[in-house]
Amino acid sequence: MKLRKILTLCLVLAMLLGVSVQAMAMDDPLPFTIISPYADVDWDSVGQYKAALHAHTNNSDGRATQADVIRDHFNKGFDILAITDHDVLFESWDTLGGMSLRHQFTNVQTLFSRRAALPTEEVAQIEHGTFAGPFPGEFNNGQLRRSQANGMISLPMTNEHSRVDDTLTYWAPFNNSWRDTRTSVLRRTEQLGGIAVLAHPGRYTGGANEGQRGLDAVNNPENIARYVDWFLEFDVALGMEIFNRLDRETRHDRIFWDNVLMELMPLGRPVWGFSNDDSHELNGTGFNFNIMLLPELTADATRVAMETGAFYAVTRVARLEGVNATMPDGSSMPQRGNSDTLFLLDQPTPRISNIATDEFSIAIAGTDYDRIEWIASGQVIHTGNTLDLRSVSRFYIQHNYVRAQLVSETGIAMTQPFGIWAAGEYPAARPVVATTDTALGGVPFWLYAVSFGVYALVAAAIIVPIVLVRRKKRG
């Protein structure tokens, strides 16, 4: 009984303390400094353009040709497309990307695939928005479904470097070698003046696991520190994917994103969140995208938006948040899109129409959403169109950021993080970080030896019979 009274007293004191802290915040007349990635966006004149920044063709491990991937994205309403085949440098729609030596060994099927670039005459039609089909895939049924008049553009010099953790690069004219690591890929990208996005972190941290295992992985200090170091060392690493495919591997990556932001935003280092299909087949396109806020539809304007955070991420499937987490019949949502998930593409997704800030608040207007949630330090701290910082306990913004998400039953639109600084506060000094490479690209020597042996056996199985047949014919 005595213990119960003590616990009750502690609870009352904690509640009173929370009320007093909030009251102090309400009475604090000093303004905040709000650093908004949307500060330079003129919402009355800006264009909202749908971007696919992670897509594959059968130039690597995709199922469709480069030509059909381009046509399909165009017809599904995309305005910007970056083809990011594994270890293949993409240069233009009417040419096939050059394969690295490693790619030729690890994607043998590519050598036997019918590969096709977009015909030159169709490039101009796609770019000007006049291409009318026919279109590939079950979703389109050969018909034009695109509704906007503008064309679709590509981003130059793109790649997905698969050494060792997948890294998406743009404006970076190089291919990786078998000894590369993510660190060396980022360093080379920096040297060449490119930019990068870290792909599906849950695959490498263990966050792709369901339940407590996944939660433990994204809250693991070692995993968080590894990504924090990459972002501290390389400014060209703009951010990470927080949605990928149908959110199986990225199910815990919004939590991981918040954990990284909690470390980096006090240092004044934002990390942007990207939503990408990572499509490997035509039925895997259209579930995730980034809405770029551009004064004009050009590659250069897109790069500025990617670097400054003037975009928001949209998904149709968010498993932890309960958005399309299951199929209509109650079965599990597949890992990637297929003919049974195409119905999702006709569902509306939230759209942001305005973001305004002053010295005390952030306000968001939009359409096709049920609620707006404000998240700081990994917690929902407020629900509503406007976040008034004077009504929020300083405890909830101790990590100097807040982000918002517009949620409906059929989608989520997530803003980039806003920097929040109380009067008299400034970012702490950023430490100097130098991540290190691992010998042999982090892959054990024995694995290279086994791989070489397998390829040698396959080559022998093909070559030896041919040689024997030829000798027999000569004899």
Side-chain angles (χ1 to χ4, degrees), residues 235-250:
D235 287 336
V236 296
L238 305 181
M240 68 175 76
E241 289 182 334
I242 54 174
F243 293 105
N244 177 280
R245 299 186 189 176
L246 296 186
D247 197 37
R248 189 190 71 83
E249 290 188 320
T250 53

Side-chain angles (χ1 to χ4, degrees), residues 100-256:
S100 69
L101 180 62
R102 174 182 174 273
H103 165 78
Q104 295 180 42
F105 276 98
T106 56
N107 294 281
V108 177
Q109 75 276 8
T110 298
L111 302 178
F112 303 97
S113 300
R114 183 189 69 82
R115 301 190 298 141
L118 192 70
T120 302
E121 62 272 16
E122 289 187 20
V123 172
Q125 295 173 3
I126 293 285
E127 290 178 339
H128 293 108
T130 59
F131 184 68
F135 294 95
E138 298 170 89
F139 175 75
N140 303 306
N141 294 319
Q143 303 301 310
L144 175 66
R145 294 186 60 151
R146 184 181 184 86
S147 58
Q148 68 267 47
N150 62 271
M152 184 175 73
I153 65 170
S154 66
L155 300 188
M157 301 298 176
T158 54
N159 204 332
E160 181 175 10
H161 302 272
S162 301
R163 307 292 301 132
V164 171
D165 300 340
D166 291 353
T167 306
L168 305 166
T169 62
Y170 315 83
W171 286 275
F174 79 104
N175 234 329
N176 59 76
S177 71
W178 64 280
R179 293 196 61 168
D180 271 315
T181 64
R182 173 171 276 172
T183 294
S184 61
V185 165
L186 289 172
R187 184 171 296 120
R188 183 69 171 147
T189 302
E190 182 178 61
Q191 292 168 349
L192 294 172
I195 55 178
V197 173
L198 309 189
H200 37 65
R203 180 180 300 181
Y204 312 115
T205 63
N209 292 308
E210 295 185 36
Q212 194 61 46
R213 285 184 62 197
L215 288 171
D216 290 343
V218 295
N219 289 315
N220 185 317
E222 291 184 5
N223 288 332
I224 297 167
R226 189 156 56 102
Y227 275 75
V228 165
D229 285 350
W230 277 319
F231 288 122
L232 283 176
E233 182 175 2
F234 300 104
D235 287 336
V236 296
L238 305 181
M240 68 175 76
E241 289 182 334
I242 54 174
F243 293 105
N244 177 280
R245 299 186 189 176
L246 296 186
D247 197 37
R248 189 190 71 83
E249 290 188 320
T250 53
R251 69 178 76 232
H252 294 109
D253 282 346
R254 275 81 69 199
I255 298 173
F256 189 64

Side-chain angles (χ1 to χ4, degrees), residues 3 24 32-33 41 87 95 103 112 120 130 137 198 223 240 242 274 278 298 304 359 395 415 429 442 468 474:
L3 177 61
M24 290 172 63
F32 290 83
T33 297
V41 174
D87 310 317
T95 60
H103 165 78
F112 303 97
T120 302
T130 59
L198 309 189
N223 288 332
M240 68 175 76
I242 54 174
F274 291 82
D278 189 5
T298 65
V304 171
E359 59 188 10
F395 172 82
T415 72
L468 293 176
R474 290 175 183 174

Side-chain angles (χ1 to χ4, degrees), residues 38 257 312 352 355 364 403-406 413-418:
Y38 309 101
W257 185 32
Y312 58 95
I352 299 174
I355 297 177
I364 296 179
R403 62 181 182 85
Q405 55 189 29
L406 287 69
M414 288 193 174
T415 72
Q416 302 306 327
F418 299 83

Side-chain angles (χ1 to χ4, degrees), residues 231-387:
F231 288 122
L232 283 176
E233 182 175 2
F234 300 104
D235 287 336
V236 296
L238 305 181
M240 68 175 76
E241 289 182 334
I242 54 174
F243 293 105
N244 177 280
R245 299 186 189 176
L246 296 186
D247 197 37
R248 189 190 71 83
E249 290 188 320
T250 53
R251 69 178 76 232
H252 294 109
D253 282 346
R254 275 81 69 199
I255 298 173
F256 189 64
W257 185 32
D258 280 313
N259 284 332
V260 170
L261 290 175
M262 282 189 273
E263 297 292 326
L264 289 176
M265 289 302 283
L267 304 176
R269 195 342 182 159
V271 172
W272 310 137
F274 291 82
S275 179
N276 294 323
D277 277 326
D278 189 5
S279 56
H280 286 68
E281 52 277 310
L282 299 183
N283 285 345
T285 301
F287 303 98
N288 304 285
F289 47 91
N290 306 278
I291 296 296
M292 316 306 292
L293 305 170
L294 310 179
E296 57 181 350
L297 180 58
T298 65
D300 288 343
T302 302
R303 175 167 181 163
V304 171
M306 291 174 68
E307 291 178 328
T308 61
F311 66 97
Y312 58 95
V314 182
T315 186
R316 300 181 185 277
V317 177
R319 295 179 186 248
L320 283 190
E321 293 85 351
V323 175
N324 282 322
T326 60
M327 295 289 282
D329 63 1
S331 60
S332 298
M333 181 62 63
Q335 174 182 351
R336 60 179 70 188
N338 57 43
S339 58
D340 293 331
T341 63
L342 292 179
F343 73 94
L344 296 171
L345 303 188
D346 286 322
Q347 295 180 342
T349 54
R351 180 182 177 91
I352 299 174
S353 56
N354 190 64
I355 297 177
T357 62
D358 58 28
E359 59 188 10
F360 292 113
S361 64
I362 309 171
I364 296 179
T367 57
D368 294 318
Y369 68 91
D370 297 328
R371 65 187 183 277
I372 298 179
E373 297 176 337
W374 300 84
I375 297 172
S377 300
Q379 303 178 59
V380 176
I381 64 170
H382 180 68
T383 300
N385 289 75
T386 301
L387 174 67

